[in-house]
Amino acid sequence: MTLTLPALRPARGRPRTRLPGAPRAERSSSPAVAERVRPLTRCQVADRLQELGDLYAETSGGDPWAWNEARAAFLLHLAADARRPGFSLLIAETTALAGYAYGFPTAGAGPWWAGFDGHVGGSLLRRAASGGLFVVSGIVVPPRVRREYKDQVWNLARRLQRRLLTDHGAALGVALVDTRDDRTVETMRSWGWRYPGDDTLPAVPLTVPLAVPPGPFRVLVLAPGT
């Protein structure tokens, strides 16, 4: 599956009210004390599915039509991933849902890998075959987390992706990003993601199941603790 990261369209029609006084800059992109990170069970994911979809659409921005379209597509994506063995979803919350990330472990065989042959190095496939690879399929965080303090360990996206890999003892995280989505690639690289072995790695023309649109994707990897 491709990575689910909100597209950051200009927000219209859903204005937010800001309280007087600007927050301290060093606290604006989620220091460790701001959100509690915890896993949800599959039943809890099902119970909160609408809330998860709402946050995804809200962080995407856009007018009401775009908001609803993004939300519907996202929920289909999440429901498909939630059926995979080993699926895990972490939420960050204060008094409300602040962000979340999810994914699943994968071996070096099966439908998720369809189309990879000849496009990624043998070391990546060997790690997958040994059960040490974890697919980070979605990271949903507010736009400010994508813009500010991306190199800080307390950045919310970094906290979520790091916890996913740690909880599953993964040797490496992996994600697919549409090669046309330069903004998402740039953001993820600022969070510590890298191309596997070579920054000039060509895009991979994948045939991925579960109704993912055909097209070339970038393979990104993440080392544990990043």
Side-chain angles (χ1 to χ4, degrees):
M1 294 294 292
T2 53
L3 185 85
T4 299
L5 202 60
L8 289 183
R9 295 182 294 270
R12 298 194 304 273
R14 300 183 67 85
R16 293 175 177 266
T17 301
R18 178 173 293 181
L19 297 176
R24 292 175 58 191
E26 67 270 24
R27 296 185 60 83
S28 62
S29 294
S30 83
V33 297
E35 292 92 2
R36 180 170 64 102
V37 173
R38 65 183 180 90
L40 295 185
T41 66
R42 288 177 185 266
C43 289
Q44 289 172 327
V45 171
D47 289 342
R48 301 184 66 170
L49 200 61
Q50 302 309 311
E51 182 184 3
L52 296 170
D54 286 349
L55 183 63
Y56 174 81
E58 288 173 3
T59 57
S60 295
D63 56 29
W65 183 86
W67 193 91
N68 288 327
E69 183 184 41
R71 184 178 185 278
F74 165 76
L75 288 176
L76 288 175
H77 174 108
L78 178 58
D81 277 354
R83 294 192 293 268
R84 296 178 183 273
F87 172 81
S88 178
L89 187 147
L90 297 174
I91 64 170
E93 58 186 355
T94 51
T95 56
L97 184 64
Y100 55 96
Y102 59 94
F104 50 89
T106 185
W112 193 86
W113 285 97
F116 270 92
D117 293 348
H119 294 283
V120 297
S123 61
L124 183 60
L125 293 175
R126 284 193 294 273
R127 290 198 185 200
S130 68
L133 213 60
F134 190 87
V135 177
V136 179
S137 190
I139 301 174
V140 178
V141 291
R144 70 179 186 276
V145 177
R146 298 178 62 177
R147 294 191 302 261
E148 303 169 1
Y149 302 101
K150 293 177 286 188
D151 60 340
Q152 297 298 315
V153 295
W154 44 257
N155 179 279
L156 182 56
R158 281 181 171 265
R159 291 180 61 206
L160 288 166
Q161 65 188 27
R162 186 166 59 243
R163 174 76 179 271
L164 273 177
L165 299 193
T166 299
D167 284 359
H168 290 269
L172 202 66
V174 64
L176 303 182
V177 182
D178 190 314
T179 191
R180 298 164 296 183
D181 192 352
D182 292 336
R183 178 175 290 182
T184 292
V185 171
E186 179 184 356
T187 296
M188 292 186 66
R189 284 174 63 81
S190 73
W191 290 338
W193 292 81
R194 295 291 179 262
Y195 295 129
D198 185 357
D199 279 3
T200 62
L201 188 75
V204 182
L206 294 177
T207 304
V208 185
L210 298 177
V212 175
F217 296 90
R218 294 286 181 182
V219 181
L220 298 176
V221 296
L222 182 72
T226 301

